[in-house]
Amino acid sequence: YEISYITIISPNTNIMTAIRYFIPTDGDTEQHPNIYTVASQPPFTLQTLKREFPLPGTFHWRFKTNLGKGHVWLDCMSDDEQIPTFKGSSGEVVFGKLTRMEEYGGGNGG
């Protein structure tokens, strides 16, 4: 099942959005994703998500999006691309599937 956007109001009144992601090569699964927060609301660009990403290394980014009655994983290659969302039974989410391109190669997510 999917959880709708989690919006957090921090003490300094910034609006935060939870981003779900998993890295299969790290042993993560789609059913038990990781979460980090971004200090804004959708729509996001890939550059925004990379800038806020908490892990070091270079990654290939894919995002879950609806297609017909199912879903696909859309590859995002350019930092200025708008990130798609996925509309599940409980709301709309940003859900990433990441692949490590090199082991801790520097930089935040990109």
Side-chain angles (χ1 to χ4, degrees):
Y1 80 106
E2 298 294 339
I3 301 170
S4 61
Y5 289 127
I6 298 173
T7 302
I8 304 161
I9 307 296
S10 69
N12 60 2
T13 67
N14 287 337
I15 295 176
M16 308 292 283
T17 301
I19 306 297
R20 290 152 189 80
Y21 72 95
F22 69 106
I23 306 171
T25 55
D26 285 3
D28 299 340
T29 65
E30 183 178 354
Q31 294 74 27
H32 298 96
N34 303 295
I35 294 179
Y36 73 103
T37 57
V38 174
S40 62
Q41 291 182 308
F44 299 111
T45 62
L46 182 56
Q47 180 179 26
T48 299
L49 298 188
K50 284 181 173 182
R51 184 177 54 243
E52 302 291 331
F53 193 62
L55 299 179
T58 302
F59 299 88
H60 178 79
W61 296 70
R62 293 180 176 101
F63 293 92
K64 191 174 187 177
T65 191
N66 301 88
L67 181 65
K69 293 184 179 184
H71 73 274
V72 295
W73 293 96
L74 179 66
D75 296 277
C76 289
M77 306 298 287
S78 174
D79 284 351
D80 61 351
E81 280 187 69
Q82 186 171 320
I83 300 304
T85 57
F86 176 73
K87 294 178 180 101
S89 59
S90 298
E92 190 171 12
V93 297
V94 175
F95 203 128
K97 178 179 181 180
L98 283 62
T99 302
R100 286 186 188 275
M101 299 304 292
E102 56 184 71
E103 191 70 21
Y104 305 107
N108 279 349

